[in-house]
């Protein structure tokens, strides 16, 4: 358990907060590019407690500026997108992607007011279906050259979903390897051939063992955590009755992303982005090391589960997460259907919008959660004092030196697992059609 004061420190992300200051040093996902499809590419964005508006210009560039016009506060989400800027319908004031007021057409012709008006604006870049923004001060760092951001668009797919909880709860479920044996347990094995686009449905790499069976039959993983240039490498080891070792390598990419294996061919990189202190979005990029991603199928699968335009889960707290006691007895451990995102929603939303960690009791399998909190506290101290090292940003070579990271499932001889996961990743990269960059040197 931790103190109430520390819980507040770790969970609050608005302007002026300590975690907020850390997160603003890094690029943050703010929208999917598909959200700008259609006749009017303008979207409201609330992130880290800031109310903003995002728009795409005719030349394909993106802007992210204060949602409220600095003239008299009107909502620019209803603005007119014209000639490289967003114009307020109230008095016609127009703003560029840099926040500079370009025109004040109701003012006298000789007025220089526009030159003196500049609203809050943040730089944006697009990578593989996600628009990222830098909300910090000074020059933005480079984006890290991790797999999901360097793969060709043909081999990636991006999506997002709303979670009604604090961002830290959402992140911590992703760095907890033990929960998969329970929260995502299936009491019978589906045909892995029907598992495209679904997590935990494939065979374990190089075997004919369904991943569902490994998680169900071997629920006591040994978990090892290593500090890396990018955050944490988390290795979960499941001893398969002394005959083999199942090795699952996942990662925490600082400050709030995870990289995990989805199947033998595909990985998921997922960011947990605060809307405010009680709501967040997960943004994910699915990256294929084999065949091009079937974008139509992946999107169709997920649109069955989420309501647009805000990507609100169709199954969630408002309808009891679809809980069915008969299903819980016969087919799934939760009784909440097959979608693991619903399972995760329940796990992170049911403690309340902000979990009271003064009452929690961590176990040995929570080692990555404890390690991450220590890393976050160190980052807070570094930003506060203006000295020290921040993960990724202060790596030798900067963010561009970050590679990978490795996220794999494999099975090896009990005394050879420490090399097997690296060999598995090297083989996958060597065979990949898009020439992924080598993994992090520390591997």
């Amino acid at each position: 358990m931790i103190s109430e004061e520390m819980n507040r420190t770790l969970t609050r992300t608005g302007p002026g907060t300590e975690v907020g200051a850390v997160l603003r040093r890094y690029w943050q996902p703010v929208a999917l590019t598909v959200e700008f499809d259609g006749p009017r590419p303008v979207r409201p964005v609330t992130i880290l407690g800031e109310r903003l508006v995002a728009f795409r210009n005719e030349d394909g560039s993106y802007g992210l500026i204060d949602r409220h016009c600095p003239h008299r506060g009107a909502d620019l989400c209803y603005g007119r997108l014209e000639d490289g800027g967003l114009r307020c319908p109230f008095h016609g004031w127009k703003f560029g992607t840099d926040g500079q007021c370009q025109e004040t057409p109701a003012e006298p012709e000789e007025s220089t007011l526009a030159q003196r008006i500049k609203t809050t604006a943040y730089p944006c870049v697009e990578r593989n279906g996600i628009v990222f923004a830098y909300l910090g001060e000074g020059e933005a760092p480079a984006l890290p050259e991790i797999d999901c951001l360097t793969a060709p668009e043909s081999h990636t797919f991006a999506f997002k979903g709303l979670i009604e909880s604090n961002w830290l709860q959402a992140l911590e479920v992703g760095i907890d390897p033990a929960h998969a044996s329970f929260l995502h347990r299936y009491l019978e094995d589906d045909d892995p051939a029907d598992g495209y686009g679904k997590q935990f449905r494939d065979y374990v790499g190089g075997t004919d063992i369904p991943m569902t069976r490994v998680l169900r039959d071997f629920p006591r993983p040994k978990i090892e955590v290593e500090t890396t240039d990018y955050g944490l490498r988390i290795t979960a080891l499941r001893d398969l009755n002394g005959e083999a070792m199942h090795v699952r390598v996942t990662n925490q990419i600082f400050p709030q992303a995870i990289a995990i294996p989805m199947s033998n061919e595909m990985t998921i990189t997922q960011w947990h982005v605060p809307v405010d202190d009680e709501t967040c979005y997960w943004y994910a990029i699915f990256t294929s090391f084999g065949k091009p991603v079937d974008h139509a199928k992946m999107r169709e699968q997920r649109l069955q589960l989420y309501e647009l335009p805000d990507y609100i889960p169709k199954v969630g707290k408002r309808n009891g997460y679809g809980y069915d006691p008969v299903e819980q007895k016969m087919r799934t451990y939760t009784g909440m259907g097959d979608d693991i995102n619903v399972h995760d929603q329940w796990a992170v939303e049911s403690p309340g919008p902000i979990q009271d960690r003064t009452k929690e009791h961590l176990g040995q399998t929570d080692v990555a959660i404890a390690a991450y909190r220590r890393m976050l506290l160190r980052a807070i101290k570094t930003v506060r004092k203006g000295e020290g090292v921040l993960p990724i940003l202060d790596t030798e070579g900067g963010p561009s030196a970050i590679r990978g990271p490795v996220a794999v499932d494999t099975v090896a001889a009990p005394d050879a697992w420490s090399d097997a996961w690296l060999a598995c990743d090297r083989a996958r990269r060597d065979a990949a059609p898009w020439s992924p960059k080598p993994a992090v040197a520390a591997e």
Side-chain angles (χ1 to χ4, degrees):
M1 62 182 68
I2 61 177
S3 69
E4 183 177 347
E5 180 181 1
M6 183 176 291
N7 198 38
R8 284 197 300 269
T9 297
L10 293 174
T11 55
R12 310 295 180 171
T13 63
T17 62
E18 294 198 292
V19 167
V22 171
L23 300 188
R24 285 169 172 80
R25 295 289 189 99
Y26 295 81
W27 289 94
Q28 297 290 331
V30 296
L32 299 174
T33 56
V34 295
E35 295 183 75
F36 298 90
D37 291 347
R40 187 172 178 276
V42 180
R43 291 289 299 157
V45 170
T46 302
I47 178 172
L48 301 175
E50 298 188 41
R51 287 166 54 84
L52 308 167
V53 57
F55 59 96
R56 185 177 64 202
N57 280 325
E58 295 90 336
D59 64 0
S61 62
Y62 289 89
L64 183 68
I65 65 175
D66 194 309
R67 181 167 174 168
H68 298 284
C69 179
H71 180 202
R72 287 170 58 188
D75 187 349
L76 289 175
C77 288
Y78 297 90
R80 298 173 59 88
L81 196 60
E82 297 179 359
D83 302 323
L86 192 62
R87 189 184 298 277
C88 180
F90 199 176
H91 295 89
W93 288 25
K94 180 184 168 189
F95 299 90
T97 58
D98 61 355
Q100 180 63 51
C101 184
Q102 298 174 344
E103 296 177 11
T104 55
E107 297 297 306
E109 288 189 9
E110 67 275 13
S111 172
T112 61
L113 177 62
Q115 302 171 22
R116 303 193 299 274
I117 301 296
K118 190 170 185 178
T119 193
T120 299
Y122 298 116
C124 298
V125 295
E126 184 273 332
R127 290 288 188 281
N128 284 340
I130 293 180
V131 179
F132 293 85
Y134 181 70
L135 280 68
E137 298 178 357
E139 184 177 355
L143 277 170
E145 296 187 7
I146 55 179
D147 292 328
C148 67
L149 301 181
T150 56
E153 189 173 350
S154 59
H155 284 69
T156 64
F157 170 76
F159 204 75
K160 75 177 188 179
L162 185 70
I163 300 177
E164 295 183 63
S165 83
N166 181 261
W167 73 280
L168 186 60
Q169 284 153 244
L171 170 64
E172 289 183 340
V173 77
I175 56 175
D176 166 17
H179 85 274
S181 283
F182 300 91
L183 189 65
H184 306 316
R185 180 182 295 188
Y186 297 90
L187 306 182
E188 54 188 29
D189 300 319
D190 294 335
D191 183 355
D194 297 329
Y196 185 82
K198 302 174 184 178
Q199 196 175 355
F200 300 132
R201 296 296 205 286
D202 208 353
Y203 292 113
V204 177
T207 75
D208 58 359
I209 307 172
M211 185 65 181
T212 49
R213 187 179 306 166
V214 170
L215 294 178
R216 181 177 65 244
D217 292 351
F218 302 95
R220 298 179 184 273
K222 177 184 177 183
I223 299 171
E224 298 185 354
V225 177
E226 303 168 70
T227 300
T228 69
D229 288 345
Y230 58 80
L232 300 172
R233 182 187 302 115
I234 305 159
T235 305
L237 303 170
R238 287 177 167 84
D239 185 343
L240 307 184
N241 294 327
E243 299 176 1
M245 185 71 74
H246 174 252
V247 187
R248 180 173 172 84
V249 180
T250 61
N251 308 272
Q252 195 288 308
I253 304 175
F254 200 81
Q256 76 240 60
I258 60 173
I260 60 177
M262 178 178 179
S263 66
N264 298 328
E265 186 174 276
M266 196 174 292
T267 64
I268 306 172
T269 306
Q270 184 166 299
W271 291 260
H272 304 88
V273 184
V275 174
D276 50 37
D277 290 336
E278 297 188 353
T279 317
C280 65
Y281 274 105
W282 60 262
Y283 283 83
I285 297 180
F286 301 78
T287 306
S288 174
F289 289 83
K291 298 177 183 178
V293 173
D294 187 336
H295 290 85
K297 185 171 185 176
M298 293 279 280
R299 186 162 178 81
E300 180 186 6
Q301 286 176 340
R302 282 150 185 82
L303 288 181
Q304 293 175 12
L305 306 171
Y306 289 86
E307 297 274 5
L308 301 186
D310 296 320
Y311 292 80
I312 297 173
K314 295 180 180 179
V315 178
K317 66 166 58 177
R318 292 169 183 79
N319 48 21
Y321 304 95
Y323 173 71
D324 179 350
V326 175
E327 177 195 312
Q328 188 176 42
K329 183 177 181 180
M330 304 297 294
R331 195 166 62 82
T332 69
Y333 199 78
T334 61
M336 298 176 187
D338 292 332
D339 180 16
I340 69 169
N341 287 309
V342 174
H343 308 165
D344 287 341
Q345 282 169 236
W346 168 80
V348 302
E349 291 177 352
S350 62
I354 302 178
Q355 179 188 346
D356 181 359
R357 292 177 176 80
T358 66
K359 298 179 180 179
E360 75 175 2
H361 296 81
L362 299 184
Q364 292 185 35
T365 54
D366 298 308
V367 59
I369 291 172
Y372 174 75
R373 293 179 189 176
R374 290 193 297 269
M375 181 175 288
L376 184 56
L377 289 170
R378 287 195 299 271
I380 288 171
K381 185 177 180 180
T382 295
V383 171
R384 184 196 305 146
K385 292 190 171 183
E387 57 184 35
V389 175
L390 287 171
I392 297 178
L393 300 183
D394 297 321
T395 300
E396 186 176 352
S400 62
I402 300 299
R403 301 283 189 269
V406 175
V408 295
D409 271 310
T410 192
V411 171
D415 59 352
W417 69 263
S418 59
D419 295 323
W421 64 274
L422 282 172
C424 178
D425 180 67
R426 281 193 296 268
R428 180 175 61 181
R429 290 173 187 275
D430 289 344
W434 52 273
S435 300
K437 295 185 177 183
V440 182
E443 325 272 43

